[in-house]
Amino acid sequence: WRLKAAESVYWFNKLGTGETTQLDLERILSNSVLFRSSTNATWLTDKKNFDLRQDLSFYHTINNRTALLYQASAIGVSNPQLQVTDYVALLFYRYRLHKEWLFFEASPQLHFPRDKNYKASPAFSMRLEILFDDKR
């Protein structure tokens, strides 16, 4: 098992000061699968609230071009009371199209938002990523 902690303090012009605490617990399950539990709390002074998130993730490397992420998340807030505002289940597919600079991503998701009485709300996103770097 590996434990990783991170703390960030920052200031945004419109949002004011804030801080984020993240705690990751990881374990390699096989040569191609990594499990990660990630706990995140963000405080923004203007909101007087913690934004909370818990992710349980499996990172699966299929080959040198293809990777999958399976993730279940609970997202919540601390104020006016501690409550979960959304549950999310997703699959994230990433494929390296060309060398180390062109990638395609697709992600089907199921959200269960509190404001819809936790009824399933599907989503799907796609992205083409191009990395510009003078080393390539």
Side-chain angles (χ1 to χ4, degrees), residues 6-46:
E7 178 74 26
S8 301
V9 179
Y10 43 84
W11 176 78
F12 289 110
N13 194 28
K14 294 199 182 240
L15 297 175
T17 58
E19 72 81 30
T20 297
T21 302
Q22 183 163 329
L23 186 64
D24 292 342
L25 183 62
E26 298 178 340
R27 183 172 177 96
I28 296 173
L29 301 179
S30 72
N31 287 337
S32 63
V33 179
L34 170 77
F35 168 76
R36 177 181 293 148
S37 172
S38 186
T39 305
N40 187 299
T42 298
W43 172 266
L44 290 173
T45 303
D46 287 357

Side-chain angles (χ1 to χ4, degrees), residues 3-133:
L3 181 65
K4 183 171 60 172
E7 178 74 26
S8 301
V9 179
Y10 43 84
W11 176 78
F12 289 110
N13 194 28
K14 294 199 182 240
L15 297 175
T17 58
E19 72 81 30
T20 297
T21 302
Q22 183 163 329
L23 186 64
D24 292 342
L25 183 62
E26 298 178 340
R27 183 172 177 96
I28 296 173
L29 301 179
S30 72
N31 287 337
S32 63
V33 179
L34 170 77
F35 168 76
R36 177 181 293 148
S37 172
S38 186
T39 305
N40 187 299
T42 298
W43 172 266
L44 290 173
T45 303
D46 287 357
K47 289 175 64 178
K48 304 287 189 237
N49 183 51
F50 279 103
D51 290 327
L52 307 167
R53 183 178 184 112
Q54 177 66 52
D55 297 325
L56 300 175
S57 308
F58 290 91
Y59 295 84
H60 185 188
T61 302
I62 305 297
N63 56 42
N64 67 350
R65 295 178 77 103
T66 308
L68 293 170
L69 166 65
Y70 314 91
Q71 184 170 291
S73 303
I75 302 165
V77 294
S78 65
N79 200 12
Q81 65 188 25
L82 184 61
Q83 61 185 339
V84 175
T85 57
D86 196 8
Y87 292 101
V88 181
L90 65 82
L91 172 67
F92 187 86
Y93 170 81
R94 182 172 171 94
Y95 182 75
R96 183 172 48 86
L97 290 168
H98 185 68
K99 298 193 178 183
E100 296 294 324
W101 59 269
L102 183 60
F103 298 88
F104 170 75
E105 299 173 346
S107 179
Q109 305 174 20
L110 271 179
H111 290 255
F112 300 89
R114 182 177 182 271
D115 61 357
K116 292 186 179 180
N117 293 319
Y118 301 106
K119 291 190 169 130
S121 177
F124 184 80
S125 67
M126 291 188 304
R127 183 168 89 158
L128 184 65
E129 181 177 1
I130 302 170
L131 302 173
F132 295 99
D133 187 337

